Amino acid sequence: MSTTRPPYHSTGLRPDAERPRRWRPDERVDLWLLGPYFGLHEPPVCSLHTATVTAAYAELDTSRPATPFQCHTPRGLREAVAQCLRWPELASADPAALPDELVTERWRALVRLTEHPLDLDLETRLRLGTLLCALGLDACALGVLPASTPEDAGRDQLSAGLAMKRTHALVRASGSEAARAEDREVLTAVATSRRLPAATALSAALTLVVLNAKGRAPDVAATAHWREVAGAHLAGLAPGGSWRDALFTSAYWRAVSYLPFLLGDHERTRAELDRAEEHARDLPDGTEQQALVRRQNLHPLLETRTRAAAAANDLDAALRYAHELAALDPYDGKVLLGLGDVAMRAGDTAAAVEAYRRAAMLGAPHAARARVALGRHLEHAGDEEGALDSFLAAAHADPTAYTAVAAVHRLAERTGRADLADWCVRWLADLRARLRVRPERTVG
């Protein structure tokens, strides 16, 4: 694996570094860790969602088996990173618009493929679309993936994959209700098809379980319906089948546990997540692909276990799962933010502060939120100077960090710092001017 630093890497991360705690406080590692998104560089360490990019690139070679990825690029990542790094070109949905100094031979090959998608067979177009979605280039993926109808989606496995990937990209690219409706139509066609392998239909049904269970207005009846459909497909998997069947079984129990959770049945939720965890920990890791799948499957499971335990007010369990997730995926700032929040709620302020500091060290796009969380703790503890430093660092890390600047203004007035108060007023005026030109985007 190449350890070549991308041109925008600012300071050194030792290749033998194992954990963020070994990095110096002044090290800036975000620009290296995010290299796969902006040039298809391959750092020796990265987050699990970033690992999807490097694996999807390798799988443009259709002789390699496709990986059932379980970690996906957060929506709006490119925009958020571009905003934090003050480099707007990084947010472009066109891979050909990547700044010249970042372009690698791999990236040039990617651009060539996107320019002539009709010259590619359908399997390659699916894999290219998967890579583009992993890169956060969803609008570009729409130009690669062929349009289809729900009827087409239910015809065979390749058609189902193409259709589901295309509507997934459409939702992420536009976010419109029409796109969401089209996505659900395709998922419904796949989930109810009698022609498709059980695992393919099961995947679509589980997606519908989650879509109906999440959001501000969960649909309990629809969640229960798709859980039943998914259960029928689960029964269609071969008894004692492949490791992929074990993966789908783990994913099944994780997804369907949303139903008892919505009903407030914490005991049943825990029992079903126990079953998901049992299958997850039994997954093999003998090959590079299996090792990635095993870790990626544990990631959302541990996230779910943390949330479910916290909702049941079992903070010891929530903190245990959050710590395990941080150990599993130590280069994901969002994971460390979650650990900090759980630790703070559980009263372990030392663990919370350590998690927030590690998240801040990882840089874009979560450094500002980590600095704000740390600043709030320091302010509550009476360390106003430390809090000011942390809030100012958040404002430096993200030019739209309004919460941080509002905190600086509050502390500046309390401590008589007229210079900082004036700076906050100028910063807010500048932010308003910038937002009139380009709306703020956040990571989902």
Side-chain angles (χ1 to χ4, degrees), residues 119-276:
D119 294 342
L120 307 174
D121 61 82
L122 289 177
E123 178 63 34
T124 301
R125 291 173 74 176
L126 174 57
R127 301 223 184 174
L128 179 57
T130 298
L131 172 59
L132 291 168
C133 288
L135 287 165
L137 298 171
D138 302 288
C140 184
L142 293 174
V144 168
L145 299 164
S148 62
T149 66
E151 291 74 20
D152 294 332
R155 188 173 62 244
D156 56 65
Q157 190 168 359
L158 178 57
S159 298
L162 287 163
M164 288 193 292
K165 183 59 65 176
R166 190 177 197 284
T167 55
H168 170 77
L170 184 62
V171 168
R172 287 169 58 97
S174 74
S176 70
E177 285 304 314
R180 295 181 193 280
E182 185 176 344
D183 186 45
R184 292 192 182 222
E185 286 180 5
V186 165
L187 288 167
T188 297
V190 174
T192 56
S193 174
R194 296 174 179 267
R195 303 178 184 178
L196 297 172
T200 303
L202 173 62
S203 178
L206 292 179
T207 302
L208 287 164
V209 169
V210 175
L211 286 176
N212 283 287
K214 295 177 71 173
R216 295 181 180 178
D219 188 331
V220 175
T223 302
H225 168 72
W226 289 113
R227 173 183 168 127
E228 184 177 349
V229 173
H233 293 310
L234 181 70
L237 297 180
S242 68
W243 63 267
R244 290 173 181 262
D245 286 353
L247 168 68
F248 288 124
T249 303
S250 176
Y252 169 84
W253 287 111
R254 182 179 76 239
V256 301
S257 70
Y258 268 107
L259 183 59
F261 182 80
L262 290 176
L263 297 174
D265 189 340
H266 297 300
E267 183 176 350
R268 185 178 166 200
T269 301
R270 183 169 54 251
E272 295 190 347
L273 288 174
D274 283 344
R275 299 187 71 172

Side-chain angles (χ1 to χ4, degrees), residues 65-152:
T67 299
F69 297 116
Q70 303 294 294
C71 288
H72 305 287
T73 303
R75 186 166 179 253
L77 176 68
R78 301 186 73 86
E79 292 88 344
V81 170
Q83 180 174 276
C84 292
L85 300 186
R86 280 77 163 174
W87 203 343
E89 292 85 355
L90 298 183
S92 175
D94 180 5
L98 191 72
D100 289 342
E101 60 266 40
L102 305 184
V103 174
T104 61
E105 285 304 316
R106 287 180 170 189
W107 197 267
R108 289 191 183 93
L110 171 68
V111 171
R112 287 194 294 269
L113 287 174
T114 63
E115 289 173 343
H116 304 286
L118 295 180
D119 294 342
L120 307 174
D121 61 82
L122 289 177
E123 178 63 34
T124 301
R125 291 173 74 176
L126 174 57
R127 301 223 184 174
L128 179 57
T130 298
L131 172 59
L132 291 168
C133 288
L135 287 165
L137 298 171
D138 302 288
C140 184
L142 293 174
V144 168
L145 299 164
S148 62
T149 66
E151 291 74 20
D152 294 332

Side-chain angles (χ1 to χ4, degrees), residues 306-329:
T306 301
R307 288 195 297 267
N313 209 32
D314 186 353
L315 296 182
D316 288 341
L319 189 55
R320 184 174 69 252
Y321 289 124
H323 272 295
E324 183 179 357
L325 178 56
L328 178 77
D329 198 0

